[in-house]
Amino acid sequence: MKQEWKLPSLKEAQKRTRREIVVERALFAIPQQARMLGAGRKYLIHTYGCQANERDSETIAGILDAMGYTACDQEEEADLILLNTCAIRKNAEDKVIGELGALKRLKRQNPDLIFAVCGCMAQEEDMVELMLKKYPQVDLIFGTHNIHRLPQLLMQAAMSHERTVEIFSREGEVIENLPVRRFGSHKAWVNIMYGCDKFCTYCIVPYTRGRERSRDMADILAEIRELKAQGYREVTLLGQNVNAYGKDRGGSGFAELLRESARTGIDRIRFTTSHPWDFTDEMIEAIASFDNIMPSIHLPVQSGSSEILKLMGRRYTREEYLTLFHKIRQRIPNCAVTTDIIVGFPNETEEQFAMTLSLVDECRFDGAFTFIYSPRQGTPAAAMADNVPIDVKNRRLQQLNDKIAFYAHARNEAYLGKTVRVLVDGPSKKNDQVFSGYSETNKLVNFTAGDVRPGDLVDVEITEIRSWSLNGRQIAAAQKD
Ligand code: 5AD
Ligand code: SF4
């Protein structure tokens, strides 16, 4: 194995130089020799983690399609298996490590199988070292900033039969000419920015995804218009911190982007994730003013204790979060608000945890993702001593989850007997006589209906509520194109 590559460096990835954001419109190209590399070959992508990874997998699929590969869904059939990985918590990594072991047998059956690991774990020094040392079955490792190089990398891996590793730790560009194969037929992800500059002390994302860089508004709007023309009904604007959109280029910000996206006339616009720190009144106003911007905001709080928030580097206090929260619920009364909460941050006291519980009592969230703190190598929090035993953390998580479920149910009670508009995804997973889709406030709705198809917008009367879903029946077909 030739050592032509460098390991990823978290230190390098931390650097933020004040360079211009470069928009590359011709960087991606498939070399002539790689054009037919995929002919007669099949690929399979396993995607872990967040929507950013889902969207990256759609780009990877688009590139592989352009190289002549065809997608398959059986590991045994595949000539190329890619794991698009997540590094947010240790259990996300453990899943991938488990999968790496399990896939070893496939390599014995098919020695030509190419096995690739990409995504956020590929940006971590210790993980790449581990894969290089312990998992010889991995043929190709490439980072989140190297996706556009996939044709060259695959060619190298396939022809040289040597391990290929390429990971850029820093980047300053937005690449606009990448192909895409959308996995959904009526809902689409639209990246509006990449990376994150917030550096919350527990979080690996600013290291794995690099510096904050926004796409040009004209490119985003052109993508939404094209999706609308193709029949898509819903777009979700994606960024690690969508409120910071445009700040890196000193141009128009997220409120303006929301308004302009709404003016494209697409049926539904969602966005994720918002950071409470730069959520402005202008954004609230934009969400309130357009019917096609969905009244549903994911607003991670992480903790209800100002002391813990400070240690987390979150840039707001409990009181500031609550002020913003109430402003949103006041201006957009039907708005669903969900959140993320971490329990057991280093040295979190019982009183500090109680502050989190009382914040949940005050906000009555529609839902929440809750996590036990997981130290991430290279982050400031990982260097903090931690005196909270794991059984205490587990108990806190359980207590919090019970409260979250209680309020999710309580919030859903308001829907009983009401009519909600639902974008149909298809027959429900459990019962094909029942359809499912999401309400404007992002509630999962299971309902009986006549002849409906994925992508239809239908009105459903809610007849029964659960904590995590609503049940009902269709009352009339809403507009169809
Ligand atoms: N440990 C536990 N949870 C984390 N999150 C991010 N980093 C960590 C970590 N080190 C959670 C946060 C974030 C969500 C995506 O994952 O709550 O909002
Ligand atoms: Fe996981 Fe974060 Fe990477 Fe998304 S950005 S895949 S959540 S580590």
Side-chain angles (χ1 to χ4, degrees):
M1 186 172 59
K2 277 185 284 174
Q3 279 265 152
E4 283 171 355
W5 34 268
K6 268 195 341 195
L7 283 174
S9 158
L10 292 171
K11 265 216 151 55
E12 274 294 298
Q14 190 176 14
K15 288 186 190 156
R16 297 291 189 265
T17 47
R18 291 181 63 80
R19 264 185 310 135
E20 283 276 293
I21 305 292
V22 181
V23 180
E24 295 281 0
R25 298 189 182 276
L27 192 63
F28 170 75
I30 303 179
Q32 190 64 39
Q33 316 89 289
R35 294 246 160 101
M36 289 315 288
L37 195 64
R41 295 199 168 104
K42 294 183 179 168
Y43 72 92
L44 178 61
I45 309 175
H46 286 308
T47 308
Y48 303 81
C50 67
Q51 296 95 335
N53 261 21
E54 287 286 335
R55 181 62 190 77
D56 281 350
S57 286
E58 293 183 334
T59 298
I60 291 168
I63 296 174
L64 295 174
D65 290 350
M67 293 172 70
Y69 283 93
T70 42
C72 70
D73 50 20
Q74 295 298 320
E75 285 168 352
E76 284 72 18
E77 280 178 34
D79 302 284
L80 169 63
I81 297 179
L82 293 108
L83 303 186
N84 192 2
T85 63
C86 171
I88 196 90
R89 284 170 293 274
K90 184 168 180 299
N91 56 4
E93 289 173 349
D94 289 346
K95 263 193 239 164
V96 171
I97 298 293
E99 186 73 4
L100 287 180
L103 290 175
K104 208 168 166 178
R105 73 188 153 83
L106 295 170
K107 200 88 185 188
R108 282 196 292 267
Q109 288 161 19
N110 176 6
D112 289 334
L113 171 68
I114 292 187
F115 201 11
V117 174
C118 60
C120 290
M121 274 170 75
Q123 296 292 142
E124 293 185 292
E125 290 166 36
D126 56 341
M127 282 299 140
V128 173
E129 267 182 76
L130 178 79
M131 284 186 268
L132 290 174
K133 278 204 195 110
K134 296 247 174 85
Y135 295 91
Q137 63 269 43
V138 179
D139 302 290
L140 169 61
I141 305 176
F142 62 99
T144 57
H145 311 304
N146 305 70
I147 293 174
H148 64 287
R149 298 253 312 141
L150 185 56
Q152 289 84 349
L153 297 172
L154 271 176
M155 205 163 62
Q156 198 176 323
M159 306 216 166
S160 70
H161 291 284
E162 277 183 10
R163 271 184 145 180
T164 303
V165 181
E166 189 180 279
I167 297 141
F168 300 157
S169 291
R170 295 169 65 191
E171 75 324 298
E173 69 221 356
V174 167
I175 305 174
E176 282 298 344
N177 70 326
L178 290 164
V180 56
R181 180 158 70 80
R182 308 264 175 196
F183 297 155
S185 58
H186 58 279
K187 300 197 286 197
W189 310 114
V190 174
N191 284 318
I192 65 167
M193 59 195 302
Y194 305 96
C196 182
D197 283 352
K198 284 282 184 288
F199 288 102
C200 301
T201 57
Y202 51 80
C203 190
I204 193 76
V205 175
Y207 307 82
T208 62
R209 294 237 162 223
R211 116 182 231 210
E212 216 157 74
R213 50 218 194 275
S214 300
R215 290 179 71 196
D216 232 45
M217 192 175 300
D219 291 320
I220 298 168
L221 297 175
E223 186 173 335
I224 298 174
R225 284 193 202 100
E226 192 187 331
L227 286 164
K228 179 171 181 264
Q230 290 168 351
Y232 283 85
R233 286 284 171 105
E234 178 178 301
V235 291
T236 302
L237 308 180
L238 284 185
Q240 298 303 334
N241 169 23
V242 290
N243 323 55
Y245 171 76
K247 288 192 174 176
D248 50 304
R249 7 171 99 231
S252 315
F254 187 56
E256 173 81 2
L257 176 65
L258 277 175
R259 290 190 294 263
E260 288 303 315
S261 303
R263 289 185 186 118
T264 64
I266 192 145
D267 290 293
R268 288 182 160 197
I269 295 162
R270 300 190 185 279
F271 53 92
T272 197
T273 290
S274 305
H275 189 297
W277 188 65
D278 31 27
F279 207 114
T280 63
D281 291 355
E282 197 190 347
M283 290 171 200
I284 300 176
E285 209 44 48
I287 300 161
S289 311
F290 288 90
D291 287 345
N292 58 346
I293 302 181
M294 296 297 101
S296 160
I297 302 178
H298 188 61
L299 196 66
V301 64
Q302 312 299 1
S303 166
S305 151
S306 294
E307 290 156 0
I308 293 286
L309 288 171
K310 190 148 194 236
L311 290 174
M312 287 176 163
R314 289 292 287 177
R315 308 172 188 217
Y316 55 84
T317 60
R318 171 193 175 92
E319 290 69 33
E320 284 163 341
Y321 182 90
L322 287 172
T323 303
L324 170 64
F325 178 91
H326 290 305
K327 221 183 322 184
I328 292 171
R329 279 262 169 94
Q330 209 156 38
R331 182 67 185 89
I332 318 168
N334 63 334
C335 194
V337 183
T338 51
T339 197
D340 289 344
I341 298 173
I342 297 174
V343 303
F345 190 76
N347 307 314
E348 181 191 58
T349 64
E350 212 50 46
E351 291 70 37
Q352 288 165 336
F353 173 62
M355 298 292 279
T356 296
L357 294 179
S358 76
L359 181 130
V360 173
D361 283 330
E362 181 162 342
C363 296
R364 304 167 63 88
F365 292 108
D366 288 83
F369 296 111
T370 56
F371 313 100
I372 290 182
Y373 166 71
S374 169
R376 304 287 66 211
Q377 196 209 27
T379 62
M384 298 178 192
D386 184 6
N387 63 7
V388 189
I390 186 64
D391 53 333
V392 171
K393 296 189 189 216
N394 281 322
R395 192 256 303 150
R396 286 182 191 166
L397 183 69
Q398 192 52 52
Q399 225 176 321
L400 177 63
N401 284 346
D402 291 346
K403 216 180 238 317
I404 296 292
F406 174 82
Y407 288 116
H409 195 278
R411 292 280 303 166
N412 281 354
E413 278 166 14
Y415 287 82
L416 200 58
K418 300 259 163 60
T419 298
V420 296
R421 184 154 291 184
V422 175
L423 178 59
V424 181
D425 282 332
S428 99
K429 285 193 188 112
K430 290 188 199 138
N431 176 353
D432 63 6
Q433 301 304 303
V434 174
F435 294 89
S436 78
Y438 285 84
S439 72
E440 299 198 329
T441 52
N442 213 21
K443 304 277 178 185
L444 173 62
V445 183
N446 295 308
F447 59 99
T448 54
D451 178 26
V452 295
R453 266 159 298 180
D456 285 349
L457 282 164
V458 299
D459 287 332
V460 174
E461 185 192 343
I462 302 305
T463 52
E464 195 187 349
I465 57 156
R466 305 258 158 104
S467 293
W468 310 116
S469 61
L470 307 171
N471 293 338
R473 57 173 170 260
Q474 182 190 9
I475 55 167
Q479 92 257 17
K480 275 187 195 174
D481 283 339

